[in-house]
């Protein structure tokens, strides 16, 4: 049988139908806290629950295009703003029963988005909002292996489907990205102080870092930061010398990596 004959005789109805969706875990920093973009579902299933921006992939689009479209359509974020978004594939979620409608496999994407505007919900959502991650009752990533992933009791914004698992995985990936890539520099201005960069790490990691140790570590990573050769106009809030200004260097990966405090203790 030739290729053409095989395809002409092939019947896709001989197999159970499976749908493919994309979901987007989009993080930004607002008012010194890490925020996640969520939409409140307007219709069943899980009407009234909060969910990640996402939806079914169209027959004529690939997965990254579907993720970008859903991020724009369901939240009102203009296409021009998406050029500043770091978008990468996070993982695939296909457990039977994860969607009560039918067998649905979701390909999740992780987005880092500094300074995005307030969202506006699309036609299939009641509301869209940047929600503080620390208000979602997410479990500690260290407890996820082999256990169901559920929000802590008393959490008011209940997440639909298996989105608690997807968000927890996205948060862990985001924290890891800051360890071995210079992605944190996208959350500060073109010129920044090391204290401003440290604030990004503290916000995403959820840890307080020793200022002196952090300063020493970031300057020891080749290509991470370049000195601007200038200082801030003023000293710190408590006075003192003016801080030196830096810009992002040309490194794509950080070596040695900047490990989270919990990870540093684990490898000792």
């Amino acid at each position: 049988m030739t290729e053409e004959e095989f395809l002409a005789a092939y019947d896709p109805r001989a197999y159970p139908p499976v749908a493919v969706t994309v979901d987007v875990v989009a993080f930004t920093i607002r008012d010194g806290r890490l925020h996640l973009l969520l939409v409140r579902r307007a219709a069943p299933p899980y009407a009234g629950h909060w969910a990640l921006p996402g939806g079914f992939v169209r027959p004529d689009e690939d997965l990254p295009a579907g993720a970008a479209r859903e991020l724009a359509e369901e939240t009102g974020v203009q296409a021009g703003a998406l050029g500043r978004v770091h978008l990468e594939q996070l993982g695939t979620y296909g457990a039977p029963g994860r969607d009560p409608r039918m067998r649905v496999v979701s390909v999740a994407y992780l987005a880092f988005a500094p300074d995005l505007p307030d969202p506006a919900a699309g036609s299939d959502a009641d509301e869209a909002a940047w929600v503080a991650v620390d208000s979602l009752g997410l479990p500690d990533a260290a407890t996820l292996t082999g256990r169901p992933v559920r929000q802590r009791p008393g959490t008011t914004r209940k997440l639909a489907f298996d989105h608690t698992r997807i968000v927890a995985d996205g948060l862990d990936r985001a924290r890891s990205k800051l360890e071995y890539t210079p992605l944190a520099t996208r959350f500060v201005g073109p010129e920044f102080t090391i204290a401003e960069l440290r604030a990004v790490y503290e916000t995403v990691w959820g840890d307080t870092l020793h200022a002196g140790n952090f300063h020493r570590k970031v300057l020891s990573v080749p290509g991470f930061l370049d000195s601007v050769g200038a200082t801030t106009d003023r000293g710190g809030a408590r006075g003192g010398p003016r801080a030196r200004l830096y810009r992002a260097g040309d490194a794509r990966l950080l070596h040695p990596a900047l490990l989270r405090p919990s990870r540093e203790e684990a490898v000792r």
Side-chain angles (χ1 to χ4, degrees):
M1 181 181 292
T2 66
E3 183 89 2
E4 291 77 11
E5 291 171 335
F6 170 79
L7 292 176
Y10 182 79
D11 183 6
R13 294 171 298 179
Y15 300 92
V18 177
V20 178
T21 63
V22 287
D23 290 303
V24 183
V25 184
F27 291 119
T28 195
I29 295 176
R30 289 188 153 209
D31 302 321
R33 298 170 73 187
L34 187 65
H35 282 67
L36 172 70
L37 192 56
L38 292 175
V39 296
R40 190 157 60 90
R41 291 181 58 81
Y46 294 99
H49 283 61
W50 291 83
L52 296 167
F56 291 96
V57 178
R58 294 174 177 173
D60 60 346
E61 67 183 357
D62 63 6
L63 294 171
R69 174 181 55 78
E70 289 291 348
L71 186 59
E73 285 184 358
E74 295 201 22
T75 64
V77 175
Q78 298 301 311
L82 294 182
R84 297 179 294 150
V85 178
H86 172 89
L87 190 68
E88 67 176 62
Q89 192 172 124
L90 171 63
T92 304
Y93 301 82
R98 63 176 300 274
D99 191 311
R101 292 168 291 189
M102 63 179 296
R103 184 69 188 271
V104 176
V105 175
S106 178
V107 181
Y109 280 79
L110 177 66
F112 290 93
D115 301 323
L116 282 179
D118 291 331
S123 59
D124 57 351
D126 277 338
E127 183 182 355
W130 288 106
V131 178
V133 171
D134 57 17
S135 71
L136 292 175
L138 298 177
D140 188 338
T143 68
L144 297 182
T145 303
R147 297 184 181 181
V149 182
R150 300 186 178 94
Q151 293 171 275
R152 289 191 289 271
T155 304
T156 57
R157 294 182 191 262
K158 298 299 183 182
L159 297 180
F161 305 104
D162 55 355
H163 289 187
T164 302
R165 157 66 73 177
I166 299 175
V167 173
D169 289 348
L171 181 58
D172 190 57
R173 170 76 68 84
R175 288 171 170 169
S176 296
K177 293 286 289 188
L178 264 61
E179 291 184 327
Y180 62 87
T181 76
L183 195 58
T185 59
R186 298 189 62 165
F187 289 89
V188 292
E191 297 181 356
F192 52 87
T193 67
I194 290 182
E196 291 171 335
L197 185 65
R198 187 178 76 250
V200 174
Y201 276 88
E202 290 181 332
T203 300
V204 177
W205 283 352
D207 278 314
T208 300
L209 305 178
H210 186 280
N213 288 345
F214 182 82
H215 191 283
R216 174 180 53 81
K217 288 178 181 178
V218 297
L219 292 184
S220 68
V221 179
F224 187 14
L225 304 181
D226 290 334
S227 174
V228 174
T231 62
T232 56
D233 295 333
R234 299 179 181 179
R238 299 182 180 179
R242 293 178 292 180
R244 293 182 179 179
L245 292 171
Y246 296 85
R247 64 170 64 96
D250 58 3
R252 298 293 183 90
L253 295 175
L254 305 185
H255 184 73
L258 300 174
L259 298 182
R260 285 168 271 177
S262 59
R263 295 243 296 155
E264 279 189 320
E265 295 175 1
V267 300
R268 285 176 182 172

